[in-house]
Amino acid sequence: MDETLHIASLVVLARPEMFDAVKANLRLLDGLELHQESAAGKLVVVLEAVHEDQILQRIDQINNLPGVLNAALIYHELLEPEGDIE
């Protein structure tokens, strides 16, 4: 790894009647993976970005998608380049 990498996980709550559309819209976003879902409209999403600001912007973008009720940050980790580990 040549640069710092931010990894974040979110729980996204969507309107059940719009769940498929929300998932389709999320799949269009770069640096985002869907991992788990429930019939109640909950999704576990993982984001990867070079800068923390990108994570925050992506969360705002997700919160503004039609059918999304809330996107909550659950976990954030900063991975340093391998050469910087002591």
Side-chain angles (χ1 to χ4, degrees):
M1 183 170 59
D2 295 334
E3 56 190 338
T4 300
L5 183 63
H6 291 265
I7 308 289
S9 67
L10 316 172
V11 172
V12 177
L13 179 59
R15 295 183 184 280
E17 68 273 12
M18 297 184 72
F19 198 47
D20 289 335
V22 169
K23 290 188 294 185
N25 283 329
L26 289 171
R27 287 186 182 106
L28 296 174
L29 301 176
D30 291 332
L32 184 144
E33 295 177 8
L34 303 180
H35 282 276
Q36 296 291 327
E37 64 180 72
S38 76
K42 293 180 185 176
L43 290 162
V44 174
V45 173
V46 174
L47 301 174
E48 292 183 4
V50 176
H51 301 287
E52 188 174 13
D53 289 350
Q54 293 170 313
I55 296 288
L56 297 173
Q57 290 171 357
R58 185 67 77 213
I59 292 169
D60 284 343
Q61 188 176 20
I62 292 168
N63 271 314
N64 289 316
L65 289 174
V68 171
L69 298 171
N70 187 44
L73 179 67
I74 302 301
Y75 178 78
H76 177 241
E77 181 174 355
L78 178 62
L79 300 176
E80 297 290 341
E82 292 177 14
D84 293 347
I85 297 175
E86 295 183 24

